[in-house]
Amino acid sequence: MDDMLSPPARAVAALIALAAAVSLAAQFVAVGLDHPEYSHGETLWRLARYFTILTNLMVAGTYAALALRGRVGSPVWLGGVTLWIVITGVVYHLLLAATDTHDTAVSWYANIGLHSVVPGLVALWWLAAGPREGLGINAALLWLLWPLLYVCYALLRGQIDGTYPYFFTDPTRIGWQGVGMWTLILAGAFFAAGLLQIALARLLRNR
């Protein structure tokens, strides 16, 4: 059937799901090593404030489903997951990596997995096997929903527990005007990257 994944594409999808799951587990262990006073529930709650963690969870679930079903998924959803995880890696390396430190090998491994290995594998899989039919400007607009929902979530959590995961979502550091400015910048970056991804999809589809 036309919507069946090839055996190599299915195998790599399973590898991506495994890489994301192992990286998430390593991050959980790293936090536990750094903060042995945390319960498992508290560790999960703290990790769940990060866009990186939530998006890698999406990747793990999406690619596990692809590997198990062996069928091509929704072009819009897979394109969105690709965009979100790739920008996760790009934003980390451009804005956050310089201030990040790692006290243990587990923490270093988790960081590489979540921000480099998983985004790279997802990008390569989408380029080689991702469905690209029907992607247009509406898809680029839909792909803004997750990052914008996340900003709202991060701000709400910050108001409740006083902790903001990233400087660009922290009104105590950059003010509400700064948060608004960075939200617009990041939304513009997601939209521009989405349009570029759609153009690339059309180019690859027409080859």
Side-chain angles (χ1 to χ4, degrees), residues 51-74:
F51 186 86
T52 296
I53 298 298
L54 298 175
T55 306
N56 271 275
L57 278 171
M58 285 185 187
V59 169
T62 296
Y63 280 85
L66 286 172
L68 289 171
R69 292 176 67 245
R71 295 181 182 274
V72 175
S74 161

Side-chain angles (χ1 to χ4, degrees), residues 90-178:
V90 170
V91 169
Y92 172 80
H93 287 290
L94 288 180
L95 300 179
L96 304 170
T99 61
D100 212 354
T101 58
H102 308 288
D103 297 327
T104 65
V106 175
S107 176
W108 175 85
Y109 175 83
N111 181 69
I112 292 296
L114 295 171
H115 296 109
S116 301
V117 174
V118 173
L121 287 174
V122 170
L124 291 173
W125 190 94
W126 184 84
L127 287 171
R132 294 181 272 271
E133 297 77 13
L135 295 180
I137 191 169
N138 287 340
L141 291 171
L142 284 172
W143 293 340
L144 292 176
L145 290 178
W146 168 232
L148 292 177
L149 282 172
Y150 172 77
V151 169
C152 294
Y153 163 74
L155 291 172
L156 179 61
R157 277 198 55 156
Q159 292 293 298
I160 293 171
D161 61 21
T163 301
Y164 298 90
Y166 306 107
F167 77 87
F168 43 81
T169 62
D170 187 351
T172 66
R173 291 180 60 184
I174 61 175
W176 287 103
Q177 184 177 359

